[in-house]
Structure formats: C-alpha cells, structure tokens
Amino acid sequence: MKLSRIVMRLARNPGTEFAGGDDHRGYALTAPLTDDGHLDEAAYAKTRDACTVRRFAPDEDPTDGRLARKGQRWFFDYDEGDLGDDEPLHRLGQHRFAVGEYVTVTDEDGRPLTYKVVEVQSAG
C-alpha cells in the first residue's frame, strides 16, 4: 500500500481572526490516495494504523493524532477515549487531495475552517 504525505495550511477564512490565512497553521496528514487524489477507502481499511495527522500552529505544541472514520464520517482523532477532541472533516471522502485544492476541518471550538493543500508526496 502506498501512503501519501499531505500538507494543508490555513487558507483565508473571512469573518474569523484568520481572514488572511496563516501559512504557519495547518495539518500534515499521512493517508492512502487513489491515482486521482481521493482517499483510498479500501487501502485505508488495511493501513488505518499508519494514517496519522499532526496539527501545527505557532502558538501551540504540535498535536499528533490519527485519521479515523465512523460510517461516512471522517475526522482527526487525538485521543481515542475522548470524543470531545475530534475534528470532523467536511465530506472528506469526496475531496481531492491535490496542490491548490481546499479542505474544511471543524476545529476544537466547532468552527469550520478552510485549509489549502500545499503539498502531496509519497510518504515512503
């Protein structure tokens, strides 16, 4: 199974304190992708333990977690026993992970924020 490393940085989010975006705030995700850049759900089922995420921001220590799925709902999980720390990903199964594409992540405060994919490369 081929895994990809995907880096997403905070895009412009009008109406928030991140109206201009923030290149120093985002996520580094490791996940299997199809040839056209979508999450490979069959490969995810086999490589779930290797599908990780690291949230980074200049004003906090990096936080490590994993990409998780329940039904059609995808989310970043930072503590398996705590449902309150999950960050849902809006329609993640339909997103294409390619440089320049956008992904919405609901942060720990319940706000949907938009991130821009800035890097996709082989994780191996």
Side-chain angles (χ1 to χ4, degrees):
M1 279 317 126
K2 186 174 105 175
L3 294 172
S4 295
R5 181 176 182 272
I6 303 144
V7 177
M8 303 181 297
R9 298 191 184 273
L10 191 63
R12 294 179 352 162
N13 283 271
T16 72
E17 69 270 31
F18 306 113
D22 185 344
D23 281 343
H24 304 288
R25 187 176 302 273
Y27 297 90
L29 171 65
T30 301
L33 300 177
T34 62
D35 290 339
D36 64 353
H38 290 87
L39 277 177
D40 187 331
E41 295 182 29
Y44 169 80
K46 297 174 184 171
T47 61
R48 186 169 57 210
D49 290 341
C51 296
T52 60
V53 63
R54 172 170 269 209
R55 181 177 64 207
F56 57 88
D59 53 350
E60 61 185 55
D61 290 334
T63 304
D64 294 319
R66 64 185 185 94
L67 177 64
R69 180 180 182 192
K70 288 184 182 164
Q72 292 302 309
R73 185 178 154 256
W74 292 91
F75 56 97
F76 293 149
D77 183 17
Y78 299 101
D79 181 355
E80 287 187 53
D82 181 6
L83 296 178
D85 73 340
D86 295 347
E87 293 177 331
L89 301 152
H90 182 69
R91 298 168 43 162
L92 191 66
Q94 298 172 13
H95 281 287
R96 185 169 169 260
F97 287 97
V99 172
E101 296 287 331
Y102 293 89
V103 175
T104 300
V105 179
T106 302
D107 72 4
E108 64 275 4
D109 296 325
R111 297 180 305 174
L113 296 173
T114 303
Y115 292 80
K116 184 175 185 177
V117 177
V118 297
E119 180 183 319
V120 179
Q121 64 183 19
S122 173

